[in-house]
Amino acid sequence: MKKLFLSAFVLLVAVISLSAQNVDEVISKYVQAIGGAEKWSKVQSLKVEGQIEVQGLAIPFTMQAVHMKGMRVDAEFQGSKIIDITTPTKGWSQNPLMGKTSLEEITADELKTKLDELDVQDEFVNYKEKGSTVEYLGKEEEEGTSYQKVKLTTKNGNEKTYYFDLNTYLIYKEETTIKQQGQEIKQAVKYLDYQTLENGIKMAFKSDMGMMMMVTKKVTVNPTIDEAIFSGK
């Protein structure tokens, strides 16, 4: 019986070691595919300009972010200004289409799901130092293509599952569950049209959310951003 338990223990250790090896290899290849940790660690601010395409409409937006300090998204639809602001301690939103005609503070649950967005450097770059953990979920095939699945749990307690393309090691899809107005909502985003920027990092320029597509037109790395735009005023 002792030998049986010992064999089971050795098998368990082997499986755990194999999973750890697989997930580290997948993440390492991904980080290299998007330009490498050194280049990404130099990104301290970002400005992204593009449009959200939904039901034949194109809604222009601008996203400005300073690493771990603040993020602001501005959009305009038929004369209505849409604003979304996130900081480490508070967040605000304004969306007349949803009945919010002025900036209103978001709930603690809503803020928790958005805190990870303050990391303008990729979530998998130096993920251990950021307090995140990963779990290898094996391989899965979708539409004839095989993917490596990895679950990321951030220090904020948010869980996301990523699908890494076996050929390019770029992220193909992200799945997550968020809370909005007291309800849990499952979201899936497919990342397409990866492009290399002037500083050598690579980003997806299209995000397919099913009902809408976010299309990036221009990315500025390390622009000067006035942090007063994150004040919620």
Side-chain angles (χ1 to χ4, degrees):
M1 182 64 72
K2 289 182 179 179
K3 290 183 179 180
L4 181 60
F5 281 136
L6 180 59
S7 297
F9 176 74
V10 171
L11 177 61
L12 177 61
V13 171
V15 170
I16 293 174
S17 298
L18 180 61
S19 295
Q21 181 181 3
N22 282 342
V23 74
D24 284 339
E25 182 180 355
V26 170
I27 293 173
S28 177
K29 288 183 177 180
Y30 166 69
V31 173
Q32 288 303 312
I34 60 172
E38 183 179 354
K39 291 176 182 177
W40 272 99
S41 63
K42 295 177 181 178
V43 179
Q44 294 300 315
S45 61
L46 279 176
K47 182 177 181 180
V48 178
E49 299 167 76
Q51 62 187 34
I52 298 170
E53 299 176 355
V54 54
Q55 296 181 349
L57 300 173
I59 305 171
F61 76 87
T62 300
M63 186 280 290
Q64 299 179 82
V66 176
H67 185 53
M68 303 308 295
K69 292 184 177 181
M71 181 185 73
R72 176 176 176 133
V73 179
D74 290 89
E76 188 168 338
F77 177 65
Q78 294 182 345
S80 297
K81 291 186 177 181
I82 301 169
I83 304 171
D84 191 88
I85 300 172
T86 306
T87 73
T89 56
K90 289 184 178 182
W92 298 267
S93 68
Q94 173 181 311
N95 190 343
L97 303 178
M98 301 294 291
K100 295 182 178 181
T101 56
S102 60
L103 279 173
E104 298 179 15
E105 190 170 335
I106 62 176
T107 67
D109 283 341
E110 289 173 328
L111 178 62
K112 177 177 174 290
T113 65
K114 294 164 66 65
L115 286 176
D116 298 326
E117 298 175 8
L118 294 175
D119 182 3
V120 301
Q121 300 166 1
D122 191 275
E123 287 182 306
F124 285 102
V125 173
N126 301 321
Y127 77 91
K128 293 179 182 178
E129 290 83 348
K130 294 174 180 177
S132 299
T133 59
V134 294
E135 179 183 354
Y136 181 65
L137 302 180
K139 296 181 182 179
E140 184 166 317
E141 188 172 301
E142 185 173 308
E143 298 180 358
T145 302
S146 295
Y147 300 96
Q148 303 266 28
K149 289 178 63 177
V150 174
K151 182 173 79 171
L152 174 75
T153 303
T154 70
K155 69 176 182 179
N156 297 309
N158 297 317
E159 296 182 354
K160 306 170 187 178
T161 300
Y162 292 89
Y163 290 64
F164 293 83
D165 190 309
L166 279 171
N167 295 315
T168 64
Y169 278 92
L170 297 172
I171 291 175
Y172 162 68
K173 184 169 69 171
E174 172 190 339
E175 295 178 335
T176 186
T177 301
I178 64 171
K179 283 187 177 180
Q180 283 188 347
Q181 298 178 343
Q183 294 183 336
E184 289 191 346
I185 301 175
K186 291 184 178 181
Q187 290 185 335
V189 182
K190 294 180 180 179
Y191 296 105
L192 312 166
D193 189 22
Y194 278 86
Q195 298 184 28
T196 302
L197 305 181
E198 290 183 2
N199 68 332
I201 65 174
K202 183 174 288 187
M203 296 175 60
F205 269 52
K206 291 183 179 180
S207 301
D208 185 355
M209 305 174 192
M211 297 293 291
M212 62 182 178
M213 178 84 74
M214 187 170 73
V215 179
T216 296
K217 299 292 187 180
K218 180 182 179 182
V219 178
T220 306
V221 179
N222 291 331
T224 300
I225 296 176
D226 184 358
E227 295 181 22
I229 68 172
F230 308 132
S231 65
K233 297 179 180 178

